Amino acid sequence: MTALYSLLYGDSPSAFAKIVQFYFKPPIRALDLTYGSGHSWEKVETNTILGEIRVTSVDRDPESKAQFKTDLREIEKFSIGKDFNLVFYDPAWGTASTLNIRRKEFTGTEGAILLQQERVSNLAEVLECLNFINTTIPLLMAPNGRLIVKVMDVRVKGEFIPLHKNAIDILSNFKLFDIVLGVKNKKQALRMPWSLQNHIYYLIFNRMEAEN
């Protein structure tokens, strides 16, 4: 199937909830590879009449509610099981995770330099994680499993990086099924359609069937 462009209006949790509802049928075993507090899952109905959505989460942030406190690239150290129907990855972009600094410190000339260093480091880490997902995560998925990657295109050192296209190229062990744009400001999107590149991409992939 040729990938489509779909459009969803609303905040990030609302968009993600609609994607889960539309593309997945409970019962679902989900693997969440994102970093943070699980904000994307806030509006997902995990107990439905069709079955339960059970989420296993991996997060290196000790303050998160993840079951496994680790970098996703170390996931093989843990017995998390297999046959996941849904895998979700939202990169830790712009969280100052590498330099251990906060956004409020990105002020003045020194702050601008630190911010660029952070973005370069984050971009390298995101690309490394995507490569890891491509080689390792299919082994943990059910044959009909799907991967959702939530990304935004970025600008690093003045260069525009179409991160959603990079992700599609890297994830060669998956087949792109759909591209969903999550748009917060509907009026702006209709008035200035070129601004859509600043919104969130939800890339939905099918697990590639293994060749005999």
Side-chain angles (χ1 to χ4, degrees):
M1 178 179 177
T2 302
L4 305 173
Y5 275 92
S6 302
L7 199 61
L8 285 176
Y9 296 110
D11 58 26
S12 181
S14 296
F16 184 68
K18 291 175 183 175
I19 289 171
V20 172
Q21 182 182 27
F22 186 77
Y23 291 97
F24 298 88
K25 181 179 178 181
I28 297 169
R29 292 193 67 233
L31 176 61
D32 185 1
L33 303 175
T34 67
Y35 299 130
S37 60
H39 179 62
S40 293
W41 294 91
E42 287 180 357
K43 296 185 179 180
V44 175
E45 186 178 352
T46 55
N47 290 294
T48 73
I49 192 171
L50 297 176
E52 183 182 6
I53 299 177
R54 291 181 293 138
V55 182
T56 299
S57 55
V58 174
D59 191 342
R60 65 185 172 198
D61 182 356
E63 296 181 2
S64 75
K65 299 178 182 179
Q67 290 96 322
F68 301 98
K69 310 294 185 181
T70 182
D71 189 301
L72 72 89
R73 289 162 292 187
E74 300 175 347
I75 197 173
E76 293 174 298
K77 297 179 182 180
F78 298 87
S79 299
I80 63 170
K82 296 184 178 181
D83 296 327
F84 289 99
N85 313 101
L86 187 167
V87 177
F88 178 51
Y89 174 55
D90 179 4
W93 183 262
T95 57
S97 57
T98 307
L99 299 181
N100 195 28
I101 51 182
R102 302 297 178 188
R103 277 190 177 277
K104 65 182 180 181
E105 298 179 32
F106 295 145
T107 58
T109 302
E110 182 180 358
I113 293 173
L114 288 173
L115 178 59
Q116 289 301 323
Q117 290 175 341
E118 166 70 6
R119 286 180 173 173
V120 170
S121 180
N122 273 172
L123 178 61
E125 180 178 304
V126 169
L127 296 177
E128 181 183 343
C129 287
L130 286 169
N131 275 292
F132 177 84
I133 288 172
N134 186 55
T135 57
T136 304
I137 298 304
L139 303 176
L140 303 179
M141 297 176 68
N144 64 342
R146 282 180 172 161
L147 166 69
I148 303 174
V149 177
K150 176 186 174 184
V151 294
M152 291 184 67
D153 293 339
V154 296
R155 191 170 294 277
V156 177
K157 289 189 173 180
E159 179 184 358
F160 177 71
I161 308 294
L163 192 54
H164 81 283
K165 293 183 179 179
N166 291 352
I168 292 170
D169 291 339
I170 290 172
L171 296 168
S172 58
N173 288 328
F174 296 87
K175 184 176 181 180
L176 184 64
F177 181 75
D178 200 359
I179 300 174
V180 179
L181 276 175
V183 178
K184 290 184 179 180
N185 192 325
K186 183 176 181 179
K187 291 183 178 179
Q188 180 187 12
L190 294 174
R191 188 172 66 252
M192 298 182 293
W194 60 87
S195 70
L196 288 174
Q197 70 177 25
N198 298 320
H199 294 278
I200 296 171
Y201 290 88
Y202 293 90
L203 309 177
I204 302 172
F205 298 87
N206 287 332
R207 179 183 181 273
M208 192 79 79
E209 293 292 337
E211 296 183 2
N212 295 325

